[in-house]
Amino acid sequence: MFASYLIGLREGLEATLVVSILVAFLVKSDRRDKLPLVWSGVAAAVALSIGFGALLSFTAARLQYEHQELFEAIASISATVFVTWMIFWMRGAARKISADLKSKLGEALQVGSVAVAVMAFLSVVREGLETSLLFFASAQGAASTASPLIGISLGVLTSIVIGWGLYASAIRINLTRFFTWTGLLLILVAGGILKYGVHDLQEAGVLPGLTSQAFDLSGVLDPGAWYSALLSGMFNITAQPTVLEVVVWTAYVVPVLFLFLRPATVKVSPQPVS
């Protein structure tokens, strides 16, 4: 549930910030008449994202066991790729995203009303599709309960409240620090999703080593304890992982964390020679 909440909070806040930038630009430009077009584009993006998530669940539920495991493995690996790209993209583009959105919206206003709605749709739908894919992949390892759905719903609602507070200047938050900490947690969540995807490939018979356990923590991780449920649900840490799962998890998490935490290099422009 907490992993789903984090996904909903992080992705939801990104989408909320995009919408708030578009709305603020129109309000300050005295173009409030175009606000319904923005909201229609946002609504279409949300509807498509929900439909995409439903399609993933519908498809997985109607596949045979091995095909279902393979489908879920592909979804998990794809989600890991997308969330990794998103984390690093947001790290580099956060400072200029406002200017880029305002520039694109200004161009859309010159083209026409349909362009405004399409621009709002495209600005939000990427976040929505990523959220659906990431949520589907992370929820596969959870029990058949409503907890993942409740978690992501609460996360999205929290992001909307924070986004509205930022827009209304009622809340002040260090977005750089927020995206850094949530990025760190999402890397660990993505590592768990990738680990689960590898396990699915082993279950489907695509990869070997299903019976080769790296270690056994059954005596330490009590299946009925709250911390076991938290570690399993958040990071997919299990008591009896396979050797390949541990190798892949380490090969992903260690270098990605290193690159993410590495200070950004500052480009120094050459000084003219006098």
Side-chain angles (χ1 to χ4, degrees):
M1 180 174 179
F2 186 74
S4 299
Y5 177 82
L6 176 64
I7 292 169
L9 177 62
R10 166 82 186 214
E11 298 285 343
L13 187 57
E14 288 186 20
T16 302
L17 290 175
V18 168
V19 174
S20 65
I21 291 171
L22 298 179
V23 171
F25 178 78
L26 291 177
V27 171
K28 292 180 180 179
S29 303
D30 198 22
R31 302 297 301 271
R32 292 176 181 268
D33 58 308
K34 301 299 184 182
L35 286 177
L37 297 173
V38 170
W39 291 119
S40 64
V42 171
V46 172
L48 179 61
S49 302
I50 294 175
F52 178 62
L55 179 62
L56 289 174
S57 299
F58 178 84
T59 303
R62 276 153 182 76
L63 294 175
Q64 296 180 353
Y65 178 75
E66 290 187 356
H67 292 165
Q68 184 181 44
E69 295 295 319
L70 183 59
F71 179 80
E72 292 177 356
I74 294 174
S76 297
I77 295 172
S78 300
T80 303
V81 172
F82 278 118
V83 73
T84 305
W85 174 84
M86 176 269 295
I87 290 170
F88 283 96
W89 175 85
M90 193 64 184
R91 183 189 183 194
R95 294 182 178 180
K96 60 180 182 178
I97 188 172
S98 179
D100 289 344
L101 286 173
K102 291 176 182 178
S103 175
K104 291 179 181 177
L105 184 56
E107 295 173 359
L109 286 170
Q110 295 179 359
V111 173
S113 300
V114 176
V116 174
V118 172
M119 189 265 170
F121 170 81
L122 294 177
S123 299
V124 176
V125 73
R126 178 180 62 85
E127 304 294 344
L129 294 179
E130 284 181 1
T131 302
S132 296
L133 180 60
L134 189 56
F135 171 69
F136 173 80
S138 66
Q140 298 312 305
S144 300
T145 66
S147 294
L149 182 59
I150 294 174
I152 196 170
S153 299
L154 291 176
V156 171
L157 289 175
T158 303
S159 70
I160 292 174
V161 172
I162 294 176
W164 178 86
L166 292 172
Y167 175 79
S169 298
I171 297 177
R172 294 186 180 275
I173 183 174
N174 188 323
L175 291 176
T176 300
R177 185 174 299 177
F178 172 84
F179 283 119
T180 297
W181 281 105
T182 55
L184 287 173
L185 289 175
L186 274 182
I187 289 172
L188 297 177
V189 170
I193 292 175
L194 180 60
K195 173 178 172 291
Y196 187 83
V198 169
H199 184 79
D200 279 340
L201 289 176
Q202 291 178 314
E203 291 278 1
V206 176
L207 293 177
L210 182 60
T211 58
S212 300
Q213 295 180 359
F215 46 79
D216 188 350
L217 297 178
S218 301
V220 179
L221 292 177
D222 180 7
W226 65 269
Y227 54 83
S228 298
L230 178 62
L231 291 174
S232 177
M234 185 69 181
F235 307 120
N236 195 30
I237 295 178
T238 54
Q240 299 173 325
T242 65
V243 174
L244 188 57
E245 287 179 60
V246 174
V247 170
V248 170
W249 185 91
T250 304
Y252 169 80
V253 170
V254 173
V256 172
L257 280 177
F258 172 77
L259 293 174
F260 183 76
L261 294 174
R262 185 179 59 176
T265 56
V266 180
K267 295 182 179 180
V268 179
S269 301
Q271 298 295 326
V273 179
S274 57

